């Protein structure tokens, strides 16, 4: 029986004349050039053929003449080295296009084949680090799912290189979200350090020398008396949503955080004593406090009570739980054109806290009382040893603030005729 004839050596100058079919390169294990007929001639695609866990796989790695023979050989050698490191080449390269929908994350009990995937790394990071150490991990989880899994779903985490990290962060900055780029960069650094600790990866591709989104400037937005007057005259017309109008008014009257209101239960609102108890679990610093309510604030809560329709939450969501705090921000963002029509420039819910604090200062409220109204931790010895609730002092401060807002609401409207 005659010996099988070896495949002819590939020559760069003759690739364009090869006939239809798959042509193997004897000089590079796994490299093939597939020639297929097309209406306008023939297409020539470089393939890398390999065996992974008993399965034959062919990966398209480029097209001739866009990728030369030398480049195709180099790419095939790189993929062979990837296999030597125990990594499937299919999971060692970027996806051709980003998915439109967020892919579902696997559970931590994924098969051994997934133990080095980005998906598995993120799940382990969330379950073993974020949730045990962060009071509210939902924000960070959302970033990881939107920004990281959306981009690197299915990738082997060991193959992510520093350039890809830069590309991901640059894309976030490019869409106009520099602050989100900074948040994502910080989470990526923690994610891959965790991966090293858990032996999922050996090194970290996060090698940043500066914040991708640049230095963040503290916000200074404070609503003017004219803007407050325009809102307070008709909150419903500014928002279209009665519940949102009441929520904004409550935040403006109390100076508390949106998350604290979103997570509030009716059992924490005492209409008789006119107080709102914010428990430690809902407070940002883990130190709850009692917010004295003015008559106006009580009226706003009474309206929210009717709108809640028997729910135990002040602001119930659609699933039976409380509303997501981000829903309040998104609702406000949708209404900003209405505010603009009333000469109220764009603002955020957190700007209301700054507005309250500035207003208290203008009313000559003692700084340490104004800070306690907002539940800011006091510095130094006072913050450690002073456990007085200052409920009466806070009530007086908020009463004076409510009186100022009432004077704006009741002021005669100035028209062109007057």
């Amino acid at each position: 029986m005659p010996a099988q004839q070896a495949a002819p050596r590939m020559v760069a100058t003759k690739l364009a004349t090869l006939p239809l079919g798959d042509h193997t390169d004897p000089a590079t294990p796994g490299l093939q050039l597939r020639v297929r007929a097309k209406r306008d001639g023939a297409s020539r695609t470089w393939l890398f053929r390999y065996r992974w866990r008993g399965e034959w796989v062919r990966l398209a790695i480029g097209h001739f003449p866009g990728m030369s023979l030398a480049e195709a050989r180099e790419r095939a050698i790189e993929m062979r080295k990837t296999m030597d490191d125990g990594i499937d080449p299919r999971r060692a390269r970027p996806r051709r296009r980003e998915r439109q929908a967020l892919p579902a994350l696997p559970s931590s009990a994924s098969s051994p084949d997934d133990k080095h995937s980005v998906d598995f790394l993120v799940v382990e990071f969330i379950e073993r680090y974020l949730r045990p150490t962060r009071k509210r991990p939902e924000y960070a989880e959302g970033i990881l799912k939107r920004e990281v899994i959306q981009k690197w779903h299915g990738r082997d985490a060991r193959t992510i290189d520093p350039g890809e990290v830069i590309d991901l962060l640059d894309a976030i900055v490019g869409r106009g979200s520099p602050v989100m780029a900074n948040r994502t960069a910080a989470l990526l650094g923690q994610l891959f350090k965790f991966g090293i600790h858990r032996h999922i990866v050996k090194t970290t591709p996060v090698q940043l020398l500066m914040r991708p989104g640049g230095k963040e400037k503290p916000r200074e937005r404070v609503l003017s008396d004219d803007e407050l007057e325009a809102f307070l005259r008709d909150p419903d017309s500014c928002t279209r949503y009665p519940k949102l109008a009441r929520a904004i008014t409550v935040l403006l009257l109390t100076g508390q955080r949106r998350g604290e209101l979103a997570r509030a239960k009716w059992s924490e609102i005492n209409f008789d004593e006119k107080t709102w108890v914010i428990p430690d679990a809902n407070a940002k610093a883990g130190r709850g406090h009692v917010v004295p309510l003015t008559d106006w604030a009580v009226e706003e809560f009474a309206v929210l009570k009717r709108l809640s329709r028997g729910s135990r939450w002040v602001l119930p969501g659609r699933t039976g739980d409380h509303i997501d705090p981000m829903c309040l921000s998104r609702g406000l963002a949708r209404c900003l054109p209405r505010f603009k029509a009333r000469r109220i420039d764009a603002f955020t819910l957190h700007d209301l806290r700054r507005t309250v604090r500035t207003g208290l200062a203008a009313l000559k409220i003692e700084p340490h009382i104004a800070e306690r109204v907002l539940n800011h931790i006091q510095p130094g010895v006072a913050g450690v040893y002073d456990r007085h609730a200052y409920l009466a002092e806070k009530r007086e401060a908020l009463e004076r603030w409510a009186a100022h807002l009432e004077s704006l609401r009741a002021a005669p409207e100035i028209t062109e005729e007057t």
Side-chain angles (χ1 to χ4, degrees):
M1 183 175 180
Q4 185 176 3
Q5 186 175 1
R9 184 172 64 93
M10 279 194 176
V11 180
T13 56
K14 296 183 179 181
L15 295 180
T17 61
L18 290 176
L20 302 180
D22 293 343
H23 305 274
T24 300
D25 178 18
T28 312
L31 181 62
Q32 294 181 329
L33 182 65
R34 173 169 291 175
V35 183
R36 283 184 172 178
K38 294 181 65 178
R39 289 183 179 180
D40 54 352
S43 66
R44 289 170 167 78
T45 304
W46 291 112
L47 304 174
F48 179 63
R49 184 174 183 269
Y50 64 100
R51 191 175 181 86
W52 184 260
R53 304 193 194 286
E55 173 191 6
W56 282 105
V57 181
R58 277 190 176 92
L59 286 183
I61 60 176
H63 297 275
F64 180 83
M67 176 180 283
S68 67
L69 175 60
E71 292 171 333
R73 284 172 171 169
E74 182 179 356
R75 180 70 179 123
I77 292 171
E78 290 176 356
M79 299 180 88
R80 183 65 62 182
K81 290 179 179 178
T82 297
M83 293 177 61
D84 293 339
D85 292 334
I87 301 173
D88 185 348
R90 287 174 292 187
R91 296 167 54 208
R93 59 180 185 171
R95 306 180 75 85
R96 291 187 177 181
R97 60 177 65 87
E98 295 183 6
R99 292 172 174 240
Q100 297 300 314
L102 288 176
L105 287 176
S107 68
S108 59
S110 299
S111 65
D113 291 348
D114 295 327
K115 290 298 174 66
H116 295 287
S117 70
V118 171
D119 308 64
F120 182 79
L121 172 59
V122 169
V123 168
E124 288 287 288
F125 179 66
I126 290 174
E127 293 188 355
R128 299 183 184 274
Y129 180 78
L130 278 185
R131 290 177 179 170
T133 61
R134 292 203 180 189
K135 188 174 180 181
R136 297 189 185 93
E138 297 85 1
Y139 177 69
E141 290 181 24
I143 293 176
L144 290 171
K145 291 176 182 178
R146 289 192 310 272
E147 310 296 350
V148 179
I149 295 299
Q150 181 81 35
K151 182 70 174 178
W152 294 333
H153 174 57
R155 286 286 302 278
D156 190 301
R158 296 169 295 180
T159 68
I160 304 297
D161 62 50
E164 290 182 273
V165 173
I166 295 295
D167 290 342
L168 183 148
L169 297 174
D170 283 349
I172 298 174
V173 174
R175 71 174 191 238
S177 304
V179 174
M180 180 55 66
N182 289 341
R183 301 292 179 273
T184 305
L187 275 173
L188 283 175
Q190 296 173 16
L191 175 70
F192 279 96
K193 286 180 182 178
F194 171 85
I196 294 173
H197 173 71
R198 302 292 300 185
H199 301 286
I200 297 173
V201 296
K202 294 181 179 180
T203 60
T204 174
V206 185
Q207 301 173 15
L208 304 174
L209 300 179
M210 59 192 70
R211 289 185 173 187
K215 185 177 180 180
E216 298 175 22
K217 297 180 180 180
R219 287 183 61 87
E220 300 177 352
R221 175 79 167 100
V222 173
L223 276 70
S224 67
D225 281 355
D226 289 340
E227 291 175 312
L228 292 174
E229 178 183 337
F231 168 70
L232 294 172
R233 283 187 182 281
D234 193 355
D236 291 312
S237 66
C238 288
T239 62
R240 293 188 305 161
Y241 310 108
K243 190 181 297 185
L244 178 60
R246 305 283 78 76
I248 293 175
T249 306
V250 166
L251 295 179
L252 185 59
L253 288 167
T254 63
Q256 304 311 300
R257 297 179 176 88
R258 64 169 187 185
E260 294 164 344
L261 180 60
R263 299 181 181 91
K265 300 177 183 177
W266 285 118
S267 59
E268 298 158 358
I269 309 298
N270 190 316
F271 286 94
D272 295 328
E273 297 183 6
K274 297 194 295 186
T275 57
W276 168 17
V277 177
I278 298 179
D280 294 346
N282 290 354
K284 180 178 180 181
R287 292 181 57 174
H289 74 133
V290 180
V291 182
L293 300 177
T294 62
D295 290 337
W296 188 353
V298 169
E299 293 173 5
E300 298 297 328
F301 272 114
V303 176
L304 288 174
K305 180 77 170 177
R306 292 195 297 272
L307 294 175
S308 67
R309 297 182 178 179
S311 172
R312 64 184 179 129
W313 303 104
V314 173
L315 296 174
R318 295 180 178 178
T319 61
D321 200 356
H322 61 75
I323 194 173
D324 185 334
M326 284 298 297
C327 288
L328 293 174
S329 294
R330 288 193 289 266
L332 173 60
R334 287 194 293 267
C335 296
L336 287 180
R338 286 177 165 262
F339 282 93
K340 187 66 175 178
R342 290 157 181 79
R343 299 182 180 179
I344 303 174
D345 292 335
F347 66 96
T348 68
L349 293 176
H350 196 76
D351 293 333
L352 298 177
R353 277 173 63 81
R354 193 178 300 105
T355 300
V356 174
R357 181 61 181 86
T358 303
L360 294 177
L363 294 172
K364 309 300 183 184
I365 301 298
E366 291 285 346
H368 71 99
I369 300 300
E371 289 294 291
R372 284 180 167 87
V373 167
L374 272 63
N375 198 25
H376 285 162
I377 297 177
Q378 300 301 297
V381 175
V384 177
Y385 293 104
D386 191 350
R387 291 292 184 254
H388 179 55
Y390 290 89
L391 183 61
E393 293 86 348
K394 292 192 295 185
R395 184 178 295 281
E396 180 184 358
L398 288 174
E399 290 284 1
R400 289 171 61 182
W401 172 241
H404 173 68
L405 296 179
E406 180 61 41
S407 69
L408 298 177
R409 180 170 66 165
E413 187 173 2
I414 299 176
T415 64
E416 293 183 0
E417 295 180 356
T418 59

